[in-house]
């Protein structure tokens, strides 16, 4: 009796997300979409809509935050504001997403990322690779030393100290994305 052969299946989180994003934009304006995608930690949810006639094209935002509870909170906040959210826990994940997803229109990132690099590494890389993508930075430190270095990066548009309000982040992202378009 022969045993069944094991099949190797490769999962591509970016392609899965793109497929889900296209489905959302084309068919599911009032549906919830979730994609938990392996190593890149990519998640996209669309929880609340303004209505098909008044809803503009949805903006895709990358949230980079190492604290899972804070990342869940701000991602949920932005989803309720109509944004499509992609999440990353560190610089390496953020770079993986940004390299493969030109749909990203803005980045909201914590300055202090203890694993695999800092926000300085991310925005310095972004200044060379994608200088037109606006970055809004946040930190629990009111004047983090990194902010001095970060202010010289062309795509860093704002610094929002923690704690911040959901409406403030939504407003800043809408303004920066509108300026980019």
């Amino acid at each position: 009796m022969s045993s069944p052969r094991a099949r190797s299946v490769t999962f591509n989180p970016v392609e899965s997300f793109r497929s889900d994003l296209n489905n959302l934009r084309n068919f599911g304006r009032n549906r919830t979409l979730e994609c938990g995608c392996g190593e890149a930690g990519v998640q996209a949810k669309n929880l609340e809509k303004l209505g098909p006639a008044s809803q503009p094209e949805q903006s895709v935002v990358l949230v980079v935050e190492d604290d899972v509870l804070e990342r869940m909170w701000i991602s949920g906040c932005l989803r309720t504001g109509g944004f499509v959210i992609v999440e990353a826990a560190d610089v390496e994940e953020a770079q993986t997403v940004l390299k493969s997803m030109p749909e990203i229109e803005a980045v909201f990132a914590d300055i202090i990322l203890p694993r695999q690099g800092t926000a300085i590494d991310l925005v310095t890389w972004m200044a060379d690779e994608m200088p037109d993508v606006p970055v809004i930075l946040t930190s629990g430190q009111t004047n983090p030393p990194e902010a001095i270095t970060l202010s010289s990066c062309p795509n860093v548009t704002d610094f929002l100290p923690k704690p911040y309000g959901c409406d403030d982040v939504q407003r800043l992202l809408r303004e920066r994305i509108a300026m980019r378009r």
Side-chain angles (χ1 to χ4, degrees):
M1 181 170 204
S2 65
S3 63
R5 289 183 56 187
R7 258 186 338 151
S8 173
V9 177
T10 303
F11 178 72
N12 184 330
V14 173
E15 287 306 314
S16 177
F17 176 79
R18 277 200 182 115
S19 172
D20 289 343
L21 181 61
N22 286 333
N23 287 338
L24 173 66
R25 286 183 170 158
N26 295 329
F27 307 110
R29 290 241 177 227
N30 295 317
R31 297 182 187 162
T32 298
L33 171 73
E34 182 171 345
C35 171
C37 302
E39 292 179 13
V42 177
Q43 294 180 349
K45 289 185 183 177
N46 186 8
L47 299 177
E48 186 177 324
K49 299 291 173 216
L50 298 174
S54 63
Q55 180 70 28
E57 179 73 18
Q58 292 179 306
S59 299
V60 183
V61 174
L62 173 61
V63 172
V64 186
E65 170 63 66
D66 61 305
D67 183 292
V68 69
L69 294 178
E70 287 188 48
R71 188 171 65 241
M72 288 171 57
W73 181 82
I74 190 60
S75 295
C77 159
L78 295 174
R79 286 182 190 111
T80 61
F83 294 94
V84 174
I85 300 302
V86 182
E87 298 178 10
D90 58 42
V91 173
E92 185 178 338
E93 286 182 4
Q95 287 175 330
T96 299
V97 170
L98 288 165
K99 286 177 189 176
S100 55
M101 291 190 66
E103 300 91 346
I104 302 291
E105 295 182 73
V107 175
F108 183 76
D110 189 7
I111 290 177
I112 300 171
L113 299 166
R115 295 185 304 152
Q116 303 168 356
T118 67
I120 294 173
D121 300 320
L122 179 62
V123 297
T124 301
W125 175 84
M126 287 182 68
D128 292 334
E129 298 296 321
M130 47 191 50
D132 64 323
V133 176
V135 179
I136 299 171
L137 296 170
T138 187
S139 179
Q141 298 179 3
T142 51
N143 284 322
E146 294 90 347
I148 296 166
T149 305
L150 294 173
S151 65
S152 64
C153 295
N155 44 347
V156 176
T157 60
D158 300 277
F159 172 74
L160 197 57
K162 293 179 184 178
Y164 44 75
C166 184
D167 293 340
D168 294 330
V169 181
Q170 290 178 6
R171 178 186 50 77
L172 276 174
L173 283 168
R174 283 191 184 97
E175 288 173 5
R176 298 309 171 241
I177 291 169
M179 290 171 62
R180 181 178 185 238
R181 290 180 177 171

